[in-house]
Amino acid sequence: MTFIPNDSLTEQIAQYLGHQIITGHLKAGDRIQELRIAGELNVSRGSVREALLILERRHLIQILPRRGAVVAEMTEYELKSLYELWFLLLKQVAFNAATMWADEDLEQFLGLIKEMGEFAEKNDLEKFYDALSKFLSLIYPFANNPFMVQVLEDLLPSGKRAAYLVFRRGKSELTRLYESFMQIMDYMYKRDAQGAAAVVEHIGHQQYELALKALRGRDAQ
């Protein structure tokens, strides 16, 4: 991921560092030194400090007394807690979206899911999750609750970190998730809210079990 400063500099720094954590370039327990990051990105330490507060809110780092910022551990307990909350909220979003969508919404959803299918076929993990992230960003507002949307947005980086554990298993997992999203779209097209929510719940259980297996395999190495 290339660092490109823009008007929201703090958010750009947070995304830059978050990407390194999500993809495993920065590992659990690694220290994030403000001075080094500021020099590397040619930004102020104050901007880095503000970005670290964003990452802490997104559960990617911890800011500890006398140690500063360190990459947060992803434990089995945290993984379970993440999936329980994330997919509980996503079920409600899917339920609402199935009853509230307009034609232009469905067109955007289908376009992004089509991209997910193309990237799954190429086994392009990075672009697949970029398309998935855009899809989630479009569907989150159907929560019709600004507090819920904020929680979902804050959970997304941790969700992406967990998903990377699963998607590293290869093309089959990307394809499986793409096919599940096509099922959701089928229910949404029929305005079957219960059906759409049920598929989301199934995805949550499936992805959690796969992430847990991958986490245990990683920790055993």
Side-chain angles (χ1 to χ4, degrees):
M1 181 180 181
T2 303
F3 176 76
I4 305 175
N6 68 5
D7 292 338
S8 60
L9 180 59
T10 300
E11 178 62 32
Q12 282 287 308
I13 298 168
Q15 289 184 15
Y16 175 79
L17 293 173
H19 184 265
Q20 294 190 45
I21 295 169
I22 288 164
T23 56
H25 290 92
L26 285 172
K27 303 185 183 303
D30 285 354
R31 289 188 62 194
I32 301 177
Q33 299 176 333
E34 291 179 14
L35 187 60
R36 181 182 65 80
I37 297 298
E40 179 182 325
L41 302 181
N42 193 28
V43 296
S44 70
R45 289 187 67 178
S47 295
V48 175
R49 194 172 298 117
E50 290 176 15
L52 293 177
L53 292 174
I54 293 174
L55 293 175
E56 185 179 41
R57 190 180 73 229
R58 293 173 181 170
H59 313 287
L60 293 180
I61 70 166
Q62 294 175 293
I63 300 177
L64 304 173
R66 296 183 295 279
R67 287 195 63 194
V70 298
V71 177
E73 184 73 40
M74 179 169 281
T75 66
E76 291 186 17
Y77 173 75
E78 286 158 346
L79 190 70
K80 183 174 184 291
S81 299
L82 167 66
Y83 275 92
E84 280 182 352
L85 178 58
W86 194 20
F87 278 86
L88 177 68
L89 300 180
L90 283 174
K91 277 179 59 182
Q92 184 62 52
V93 170
F95 186 95
N96 291 354
T99 59
M100 296 167 60
W101 62 264
D103 289 345
E104 59 269 22
D105 298 318
L106 210 62
E107 185 177 345
Q108 291 184 81
F109 295 155
L110 286 169
L112 287 168
I113 292 175
K114 181 181 178 182
E115 287 183 18
M116 287 166 58
E118 293 170 354
F119 296 137
E121 183 63 29
K122 298 174 183 176
N123 198 27
D124 190 329
L125 171 58
E126 187 73 22
K127 290 184 178 178
F128 178 92
Y129 210 97
D130 282 347
L132 175 56
S133 296
K134 290 176 184 175
F135 176 88
L136 293 174
S137 295
L138 284 176
I139 205 169
Y140 280 173
F142 284 96
N144 202 28
N145 181 323
F147 297 100
M148 190 184 294
V149 171
Q150 184 62 62
V151 172
L152 283 164
E153 289 176 347
D154 287 343
L155 289 175
L156 184 57
S158 290
K160 188 173 183 180
R161 187 182 184 189
Y164 260 76
L165 294 173
V166 175
F167 295 156
R168 286 195 186 103
R169 295 164 63 94
K171 177 180 173 181
S172 62
E173 299 305 337
L174 298 180
T175 301
R176 191 204 307 261
L177 189 58
Y178 157 71
E179 291 171 350
S180 294
F181 271 83
M182 288 299 294
Q183 288 181 333
I184 293 172
M185 293 310 301
D186 184 51
Y187 281 115
M188 286 183 63
Y189 184 75
K190 298 173 184 175
R191 295 199 183 274
D192 184 343
Q194 295 286 357
V199 176
V200 170
E201 183 174 26
H202 174 72
I203 292 172
H205 289 310
Q206 185 180 71
Q207 290 293 303
Y208 167 67
E209 292 297 333
L210 290 169
L212 182 61
K213 184 176 180 181
L215 182 66
R216 288 172 174 171
R218 185 197 67 181
D219 291 345
Q221 293 175 357

